[in-house]
């Protein structure tokens, strides 16, 4: 089979879910919120990191890319500046959120510029909504967005082969995805401090790890999550947890914690998203 052939057909298709808090140099909300003075600068650093991931994969034989912008209003990238003639899925109100656009036709998944879970000592750590969610565990393991999003990858049987971000975030992603390549572009100090690589060096590392991940695609596996799977969600207050139990399948497990179990990982992910969206209304 020629190198440009993915296991699933003529093209080797890569799904990229891009966040922003994991970019080298980013340590504050003001740097990654549209409208803030520093945002325009940091969005170009994010764009460079996304492009580095695409370029590395291109060099290793991948030839089709979908970038699902997953940060804030999900319109942080410049479509005309995307490498690899990548398609760009942007904008708010996506039912599958950070995993919108993934299906079984993809060969691999990259998580670019990801951040740690709410309870992790990592820059700008949070789990979907920092005003509502205190901690989430999946089958007993504390997970962040990388772990929760892995449910969708499992549902479509696509391996997650690369995560970029800080060291704590990389370790979290590796708990659920044992074979994942990690491009650690900064070392976490606190939730608002990190020691970052120079952006040019960060991009070189991401390019190299993306290429490695694609070259070794045959040896990677889908996320290691036993089914049926249980998500346990601890909210920041009792009202939020009570509201989450309005959703079918979500049961109370204490004053601030709820649980939901499902044998369908995609349905489980969607139930979680419903809880995120519903509780947004009363999150302080
Ligand atoms: Zn995020």
């Amino acid at each position: 089979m020629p190198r440009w052939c993915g296991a699933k057909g003529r093209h080797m298709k890569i799904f990229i879910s891009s966040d922003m808090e994991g970019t080298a140099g980013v340590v504050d909300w003001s740097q990654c919120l549209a409208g803030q003075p520093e945002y325009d600068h940091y969005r170009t650093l994010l764009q460079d990191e996304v492009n580095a991931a695409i370029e590395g994969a291109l060099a290793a034989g991948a030839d089709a890319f979908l970038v699902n912008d997953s940060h804030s209003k999900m319109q942080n990238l410049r479509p005309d500046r995307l490498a690899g003639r990548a398609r760009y899925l942007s904008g708010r109100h996506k039912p599958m959120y950070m995993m919108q656009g993934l299906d079984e036709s993809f060969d691999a998944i990259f998580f670019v510029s990801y951040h740690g879970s709410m309870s992790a000592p990592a820059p700008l750590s949070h789990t979907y909504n920092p005003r509502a969610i205190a901690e989430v565990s999946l089958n007993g393991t504390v997970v962040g967005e990388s772990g929760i999003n892995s449910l969708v990858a499992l549902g479509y049987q696509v391996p997650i082969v690369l995560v970029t971000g800080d060291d704590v975030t990389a370790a979290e992603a590796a708990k659920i995805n044992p074979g994942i390549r990690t491009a650690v572009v900064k070392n976490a100090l606190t939730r608002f401090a990190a020691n970052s690589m120079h952006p040019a060096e960060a991009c070189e590392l991401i390019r190299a790890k993306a290429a490695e991940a694609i070259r070794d695609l045959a040896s990677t596996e889908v996320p290691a999550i036993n089914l049926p799977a249980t998500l346990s969600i601890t909210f920041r207050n009792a009202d939020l947890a009570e509201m989450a139990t309005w959703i079918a399948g979500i049961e109370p497990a204490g004053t601030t914690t709820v649980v939901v179990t499902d044998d369908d990982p995609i349905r489980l992910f969607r139930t979680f998203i419903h809880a995120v969206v519903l509780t947004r209304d009363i999150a302080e």
Side-chain angles (χ1 to χ4, degrees):
M1 188 185 287
R3 278 185 59 212
W4 43 263
C5 277
K8 295 182 180 180
R10 189 177 177 284
H11 290 283
M12 189 193 282
K13 287 175 70 177
I14 311 298
F15 178 86
I16 299 172
S17 173
S18 63
D19 211 333
M20 186 163 184
E21 293 87 347
T23 295
V26 168
V27 290
D28 192 81
W29 298 117
S30 65
Q31 294 166 332
C32 41
L33 278 179
Q36 298 284 327
E38 285 191 282
Y39 168 76
D40 275 342
H41 172 66
Y42 285 94
R43 77 190 299 192
T44 65
L45 300 187
L46 168 66
Q47 180 107 33
D48 290 346
E49 290 194 0
V50 170
N51 282 342
I54 294 173
E55 288 157 8
L58 269 172
D63 63 352
F65 303 89
L66 173 63
V67 178
N68 175 35
D69 194 323
S70 303
H71 175 72
S72 191
K73 288 187 174 176
M74 307 188 252
Q75 48 189 42
N76 304 284
L77 299 169
R78 284 273 307 269
D80 57 320
R81 284 200 56 226
L82 280 174
R85 303 218 164 174
R87 295 186 67 91
Y88 183 43
L89 205 167
S90 58
R92 285 179 293 168
H93 203 57
K94 297 185 283 200
M96 296 298 285
Y97 222 115
M98 303 182 81
M99 298 304 277
Q100 187 72 42
L102 182 69
D103 62 30
E104 50 283 294
S105 72
F106 285 87
D107 295 279
I109 297 168
F110 292 172
F111 287 163
V112 174
S113 192
Y114 264 44
H115 54 80
S117 66
M118 184 65 181
S119 50
L124 304 179
S125 69
H126 63 281
T127 305
Y128 272 88
N129 183 355
R131 292 184 305 280
I133 296 175
E135 190 168 274
V136 175
S137 33
L138 174 57
N139 290 343
T141 300
V142 173
V143 287
E145 291 165 9
S146 63
I148 296 164
N149 297 346
S150 297
L151 287 165
V152 184
L154 177 64
Y156 289 119
Q157 294 284 294
V158 185
I160 302 164
V161 299
L162 175 73
V163 61
T164 82
D166 65 76
D167 52 337
V168 174
T169 300
E172 260 184 356
K175 279 194 288 185
I176 303 291
N177 298 279
I180 197 169
R181 300 296 162 123
T182 61
V184 174
V185 300
K186 56 188 173 187
N187 293 327
L189 295 174
T190 66
R191 288 192 70 237
F192 295 101
N195 182 339
S196 288
M197 278 182 167
H198 186 280
E201 202 171 324
C203 287
E204 276 168 27
L205 177 68
I206 292 170
R207 214 172 281 122
K209 291 289 180 179
E212 254 179 47
I214 296 307
R215 287 196 190 101
D216 288 350
L217 203 51
S219 64
T220 54
E221 286 169 24
V222 296
I225 302 168
N226 292 327
L227 297 174
T230 299
L231 278 177
S232 167
I233 311 164
T234 300
F235 288 92
R236 290 180 58 160
N237 64 53
D239 287 5
L240 290 159
E242 196 276 333
M243 188 180 236
T245 65
W246 299 358
I247 296 165
I250 297 188
E251 303 294 335
T255 353
T256 56
T257 300
V258 300
V259 292
V260 50
T261 299
D262 207 320
D263 54 8
D264 176 344
I266 293 177
R267 193 169 55 203
L268 182 58
F269 173 83
R270 295 197 67 155
T271 305
F272 173 78
I273 294 300
H274 295 164
V276 169
V277 174
L278 181 66
T279 55
R280 204 173 266 162
D281 254 10
I282 57 163
E284 290 160 31

